[in-house]
Amino acid sequence: MSLNILLVEDDAVFAQAMAEELRGFDHGVTVAPNGRDALAAVDSQAFDAVILDRMLPKIDGISVLERLRSANITMPVIMLSALGRSVEKVEGLEAGADDYVVKPIAAVELNARLLALMRGRGWTGSAGDTIHAGDIVVSPTKFRAWRDGIALDLGKLEFKLLAEFVANADAVLTRAMLVERVWGYDFAPTTNIVDVYVRHLRVKLTAAGGDDPIRTVRGVGYMLRG
């Protein structure tokens, strides 16, 4: 099981050593030396999991974690810390950590904890957390999407609509199907809500570059080209 991991650690020697050992387990590892860089990395790239030091410069680990969770970014996070009292562990877990590990820790144990978390989340393949259609990438657990590497600024329903299109690329989705899957209605709404949101989504996709990837199937619905 190969993962794309963000390692957030301000101790350069420890970070380099841990990154190399994790790469030995066939993981990709990106290192961020502080909380600000960590948030920027999450905003610009898709990761399967985060290993997050608690005591960080610029923005501390607890604050980073709270910001991720408040943004509905749900990928697994293991918090690392030299602080090992029960109250400190509880604080980290309540902030949203999936696991709290006290330093020092061997890479083989950290890898085992990562894999256990991913199995618990139903992680199923080397494609990681993302789904793709053409130059569009969607990360369902992070509620993030990119086109040609450019992050898309999407609202919650716009994101759900795009994720549905990407997951069913090259297949026609009727308006009724989209209403049920995106809005959760089992009846046809009295407004043209699907058409309105598709129009908004088209604007954002074309603004990121390229032509309009959503095709209108007249009288039926829409299809995203894969």
Side-chain angles (χ1 to χ4, degrees), residues 77-131:
V77 175
I78 295 180
M79 179 160 279
L80 293 180
S81 180
L83 306 177
R85 295 183 303 166
S86 293
V87 64
E88 292 155 346
K89 293 179 181 179
V90 169
E91 185 179 14
L93 293 169
E94 288 184 343
D98 296 271
D99 198 357
Y100 190 105
V101 177
V102 179
K103 297 177 181 178
I105 181 173
V108 64
E109 180 184 344
L110 189 55
N111 180 61
R113 288 175 178 268
L114 279 167
L115 298 186
L117 282 177
M118 301 311 289
R119 286 194 298 271
R121 293 290 189 93
W123 195 89
T124 57
S126 61
D129 155 82
T130 59
I131 54 178

Side-chain angles (χ1 to χ4, degrees), residues 138-140 143-145 154-163:
V138 172
S139 172
F143 285 87
R144 298 290 293 166
L154 303 177
K156 182 177 180 180
L157 289 173
E158 291 170 336
F159 174 84
K160 290 178 69 176
L161 181 61
L162 180 60

Side-chain angles (χ1 to χ4, degrees), residues 8 50 53 55-56 58 65 78 92 132 148 169 172 177 179 210 217:
V8 191
V50 179
D53 188 26
M55 300 173 68
L56 292 168
K58 299 186 179 179
L65 185 53
I78 295 180
H132 306 251
D148 197 23
V172 177
M177 292 166 65
V179 165
V217 181

Side-chain angles (χ1 to χ4, degrees), residues 5 17 22 26 37 39 56 63-64 74 77 84 134-135 147 157 173 191 197 200 217 226:
I5 300 167
L22 289 173
D26 201 29
D37 287 357
L39 291 172
L56 292 168
S63 297
V64 169
T74 61
V77 175
D135 60 358
R147 185 174 192 191
L157 289 173
L173 297 175
T191 65
Y197 272 83
H200 292 169
V217 181

